[in-house]
Amino acid sequence: MKTICKACFLAVGILSLGHSVTAQETEINDMTTPLHLLQPEYKVPYGNLTVEQVKKDIDRVFAYIEQHTPVRVLDTDGKEVTDYRHIPHGSTLDRGTFRIGSYEWGVTYQALLDASEVTGDARYKDYVVRRLRFLAEVAPGFRKLYEQYKDTDAQMEQILHPKALDDAGAMCCAMMKACIADPSLPLSDLIENYFAFIEHGQYRLPDGTFARHRPQHNTIWLDDMFMGVPSLAYRGIYKKEESTKYFNEAAKVSRQFIDRMFVPEKGLYRHGYVEGLAQQPTFHWARANGWAILTNCELLDALPEDHPDRPFLLEQLRRHIKGLAAYQSSEGFWHQLVDRSDSYLETSATAIYVYCIAHAINKGWIEGITYGPVAQLGWHAVSTQIKEGGQVDGTCVGTGMGFDPAFYYYRPANYQAAHGYGPVIWAGAEMIRLLGHWHPRTNDSGLHYYKVKQTNPSPLFYLTEDGQGEAVE
């Protein structure tokens, strides 16, 4: 088998270590050294990635959120309440770092359920089940307090009386997924309460598209595509007898978002849309594009293979992934405003894209050879934002709809923002799944994805049928 000469490898090693060349040593130049094999100075890891590395990152994040999301009811003196049938007035859920009933945590629960399935680590699922069961157990007691005193804990108010899709959508979807996996979970009352708001309480345009009167009348937020559509779709699985109704409704609403908000020439979505406005604000906010691509993946996961809208939605996913891939930065991240490279690099959106691209590869919707390296580079970027203590840094805080670029450019980014944790766990879980089907390997210094494991140790090789590879001389 052909190999690259040892002298060349030695020369490359010298250069990569920063060793100076003396007069007594062979001069390193284009004649003596394969300079294309010199190691670049990447800002994030590049090339090698193992399941063990990804799992270690997920575990760090999990340890952090487990420590900072307690499951207790406290009375006004700070004492734990254990009899949930008689919760004293003024009692609250214990306040950790994150709200266990928020939409951000609805995403986190879904991510952890998936991570548990992929890795076999029961701790992730147990975390979800414990918190969802806890919310179901305390809800009647807090509801009783509200009926008597017209006030209750702020977190429970959001659960018992949702006022926006943010309050209901992701949590409803997480609970339905948990119950689909384990029908014995006592979550039906909370699910029905959430879904009643999604179906009938949230304001909609005459064609059924979710909308708000903020910041303008009849404003459509791309965020609401994710906050509403996946719950409609998974309702079709949760309530099998009504599956056709909800599958069709989810696909219809999704198409209406796409028609208004996808910008074909860029392959990206605008963040907001004001019905009836002749000139629309068009800012391609990264996390909103994440919610859109995640919605498309969730919808394709839920819809039957023969659903009439499936071909359109599949092609739409491909168009969006192509658009996003064109804007990935040299460091693997995507920018806060996707198409503006002078806006900051943002973690939560990058993690969502990694999950969705890897998921699309795993499902066979897009080519792994083309997009596997995109997903892996994105994961390497995300992994650099996981601190030693498990905090996820570089995540944009909650963001409304803006009509000027400065609004998006200067949104704070912080590890306290809850939006990053679920996407990072979900991305890691899907990368583990991806590594179970594909074999990433550098060849001629570039990262490539192979269906057959390449075992030739040469840094430059041709493919062979037996998977061994043939080194290039």
Side-chain angles (χ1 to χ4, degrees), residues 49-61:
L49 183 66
T50 67
V51 168
E52 292 73 23
Q53 289 171 331
V54 180
K55 178 64 162 61
K56 189 176 293 185
D57 283 334
I58 294 174
D59 282 341
R60 286 213 316 278
V61 177

Side-chain angles (χ1 to χ4, degrees), residues 205 207 209 220 256-261 270 273 275:
L205 300 180
D207 66 0
T209 305
I220 303 173
Q256 289 165 182
F257 271 95
I258 293 165
D259 289 345
R260 289 176 170 93
M261 307 187 78
R270 56 170 56 92
Y273 181 96
E275 187 77 349

Side-chain angles (χ1 to χ4, degrees), residues 14 169 187 208 236 263:
I14 291 172
L187 303 176
V263 181

Side-chain angles (χ1 to χ4, degrees), residues 11-31:
V12 171
I14 291 172
L15 275 184
S16 65
L17 291 172
H19 186 77
S20 61
V21 180
T22 67
Q24 288 77 30
E25 295 173 328
T26 302
E27 182 181 16
I28 297 173
N29 56 38
D30 187 54
M31 292 291 293

